[in-house]
């Protein structure tokens, strides 16, 4: 957490640091090389390599971390020292795209030197030669707070070969684009994958108060559930039946293939017609839905998915599919009703 906070403070020096970090992290995730548990690069090693690249540009965009940590690693001291370097990288006019290309070129050019002890040091803002306790690392990125540690210590030998292969493919795609053999839309897709509109929508989890689990609290919850169920009761004339002949259906929680179920649940007096929806939307109980799924308007998810991001050159990303899935009619149509008397149960069709 201390390292993350220091990185956040340093990112205030130049906005290109944060943007380039997001780009490289996205590229690494798309190519499956951003997972220390899978022996690839950690997020901190990626961000440190981005910072190192900005430190070694001419003129540099970020200062050496030794100047920012000279008074200690406490936030007050770091923030005070960072304030002395405001506008440090203003002399460098490189764009984020140019910095991305030169970073990939730099990492590719030192591919064969990691095994000889090459190490990227943010503390000194330069390449150094370093051997760790376990020997030479497959990828060496020095921890700027504890210089005896390697941010990229999780990278395995086979996984390092995979990272180098991804760098070669990336350089090849960039070369094809610069030669006019590939358009910008295709390049974006190959570098960062296809844009998923769901990833652009912020869905913060609503805050809920602590539930009162005392006997009085549980009684109040049960009363609220009873009132809620009573609101959904429909008059008999709305279902073309008299009170004496109207049937009350007991609907069990239906199990669909591939969807986990939490056991048998019941809904009090549902009315016809009703539709069973999969778990995760109403927990499988019967609800009255419109004939068609509601279209996500501006008040729900913002603009339509076909025009989410437009590049500076006017090139738009390919149209995407619908943001919200339609009700699964084919599953509800495949249900069969069994039972006799006043109760009917729904089960999946064999």
């Amino acid at each position: 957490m201390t390292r993350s906070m220091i990185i956040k403070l340093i990112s205030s020096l130049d906005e290109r640091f944060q943007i380039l970090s997001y780009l490289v992290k996205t590229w690494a995730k798309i190519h499956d090389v951003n997972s220390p548990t899978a022996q690839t690069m950690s997020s901190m090693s990626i961000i440190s390599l981005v910072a190192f690249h900005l430190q070694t540009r001419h003129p540099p965009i970020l200062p050496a971390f030794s100047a920012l940590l000279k008074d200690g690693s406490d936030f007050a001291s770091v923030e005070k020292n960072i304030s002395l370097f405001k506008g440090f990288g203003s002399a460098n006019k490189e764009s984020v795209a140019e910095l991305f290309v030169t970073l990939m070129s730099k990492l590719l050019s030192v591919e064969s030197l990691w095994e000889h002890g090459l190490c990227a040091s943010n503390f000194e803002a330069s390449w150094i030669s370093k051997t760790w306790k376990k020997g030479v690392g497959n990828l060496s990125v020095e921890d700027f707070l504890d210089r005896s540690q390697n941010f990229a210590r999780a990278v395995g030998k086979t996984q390092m070969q995979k990272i180098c292969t991804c760098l070669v493919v990336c350089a090849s795609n960039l070369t094809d684009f610069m030669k006019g053999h590939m358009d910008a839309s295709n390049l974006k897709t190959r570098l960062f994958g296809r844009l998923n509109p769901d990833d652009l929508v912020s869905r913060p989890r609503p805050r809920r108060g602590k539930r009162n689990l005392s006997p009085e609290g549980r009684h109040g919850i049960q009363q609220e559930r009873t009132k809620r169920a009573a609101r959904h009761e429909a008059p008999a004339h709305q279902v073309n039946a008299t009170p004496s002949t109207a049937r009350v259906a007991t609907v069990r929680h239906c199990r669909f293939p591939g969807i986990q179920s939490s056991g048998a649940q019941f809904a009090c007096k549902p009315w016809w017609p009703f539709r069973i929806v999969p778990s995760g939307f109403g927990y499988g109980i019967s609800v009255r839905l419109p004939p068609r799924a509601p279209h996500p308007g501006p008040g729900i998810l913002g603009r339509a998915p076909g025009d989410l991001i437009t590049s500076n050159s006017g090139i738009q990303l390919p149209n995407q599919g619908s943001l919200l899935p339609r009700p699964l009619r084919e599953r509800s149509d495949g249900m069969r009703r069994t039972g006799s008397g006043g109760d009917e149960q729904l089960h999946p069709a064999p």
Side-chain angles (χ1 to χ4, degrees):
M1 293 177 63
T2 302
R3 290 161 177 76
S4 298
M5 181 58 68
I6 292 176
I7 290 293
K8 179 181 179 181
L9 295 175
I10 295 175
S11 66
S12 64
L13 289 175
D14 196 294
E15 64 177 1
R16 290 173 289 183
F17 179 30
Q18 188 177 32
I19 299 173
L20 186 59
S21 297
Y22 277 123
L23 280 178
V24 179
K25 271 182 58 66
T26 303
W27 172 84
K29 282 184 174 293
I30 289 298
H31 293 82
D32 197 23
V33 291
N34 180 205
S35 175
T37 57
Q39 295 186 336
T40 56
M41 295 183 293
S42 65
S43 296
M44 186 58 70
S45 64
I46 293 175
I47 294 174
S48 297
L49 285 173
V50 172
F52 177 77
H53 181 57
L54 300 184
Q55 289 174 328
T56 53
R57 298 307 295 159
H58 300 287
I61 299 175
L62 293 179
F65 286 7
S66 58
L68 307 178
L69 301 171
K70 61 181 181 180
D71 297 328
S73 59
D74 57 290
F75 299 151
S77 300
V78 173
E79 192 170 10
K80 182 188 70 174
N81 292 330
I82 288 177
S83 63
L84 302 177
F85 289 91
K86 292 296 182 181
F88 178 81
S90 58
N92 188 302
K93 304 299 182 181
E94 291 179 287
S95 66
V96 174
E98 291 172 332
L99 291 171
F100 180 84
V101 173
T102 52
L103 173 58
M104 294 298 168
S105 176
K106 176 180 290 184
L107 295 177
L108 192 59
S109 64
V110 298
E111 173 186 355
S112 61
L113 300 179
W114 297 112
E115 59 185 10
H116 297 290
L118 182 69
C119 178
S121 173
N122 294 121
F123 191 82
E124 298 183 12
S126 64
W127 295 108
I128 61 175
S129 178
K130 196 157 190 175
T131 303
W132 312 98
K133 290 182 179 180
K134 295 183 179 180
V136 178
N138 298 306
L139 177 66
S140 297
V141 183
E142 185 184 60
D143 186 338
F144 54 84
L145 288 186
D146 185 357
R147 301 187 65 187
S148 64
Q149 297 298 320
N150 179 13
F151 276 142
R153 57 185 173 270
V155 177
K157 187 173 183 179
T158 303
Q159 286 72 19
M160 186 61 194
Q161 296 175 357
K162 177 182 178 180
I163 295 172
C164 293
T165 302
C166 293
L167 291 172
V168 171
V169 174
C170 178
S172 176
N173 292 331
L174 292 171
T175 301
D176 291 342
F177 171 74
M178 293 176 184
K179 291 182 178 180
H181 300 161
M182 184 185 301
D183 58 11
S185 178
N186 192 11
L187 178 66
K188 290 178 184 178
T189 301
R190 294 198 178 193
L191 293 181
F192 309 112
R194 292 190 178 275
L195 181 65
N196 185 5
D198 293 338
D199 295 340
L200 300 178
V201 181
S202 177
R203 294 187 179 88
R205 180 176 295 180
R207 293 185 177 181
R208 298 181 179 179
K210 294 183 178 180
R211 300 180 64 180
N212 185 3
L213 299 181
S214 63
E216 295 80 6
R218 288 195 295 268
H219 180 68
I221 295 174
Q222 185 62 35
Q223 285 185 339
E224 181 64 25
R225 290 176 178 173
T226 304
K227 292 179 181 179
R228 198 175 300 167
R231 294 194 198 104
H232 292 289
E233 292 183 359
H237 64 83
Q238 293 185 4
V239 294
N240 299 325
T242 60
S244 59
T245 59
R247 295 185 299 176
V248 178
T250 302
V251 183
R252 292 187 181 276
H253 182 75
C254 301
R255 299 179 183 268
F256 292 99
I259 300 179
Q260 295 182 354
S261 175
S262 58
Q265 298 181 4
F266 297 87
C268 299
K269 295 184 179 182
W271 61 92
W272 299 92
F274 61 87
R275 183 181 296 115
I276 301 298
V277 296
S279 299
F281 185 85
Y283 298 97
I285 62 175
S286 61
V287 292
R288 181 183 292 274
L289 294 176
R292 300 179 62 183
H295 178 72
I300 301 177
L301 295 175
R303 296 183 296 173
D307 189 21
L308 285 172
I309 287 184
T310 303
S311 63
N312 294 333
S313 60
I315 299 174
Q316 296 182 358
L317 294 176
N319 293 330
Q320 304 295 325
S322 176
L323 288 173
L324 296 177
R326 294 185 178 181
L328 304 180
R329 291 186 176 182
E330 62 275 8
R331 290 182 177 175
S332 59
D333 293 340
M335 305 297 295
R336 59 183 177 85
R337 291 190 293 270
T338 62
S340 60
D343 293 340
E344 291 187 5
Q345 298 178 1
L346 295 182
H347 301 281

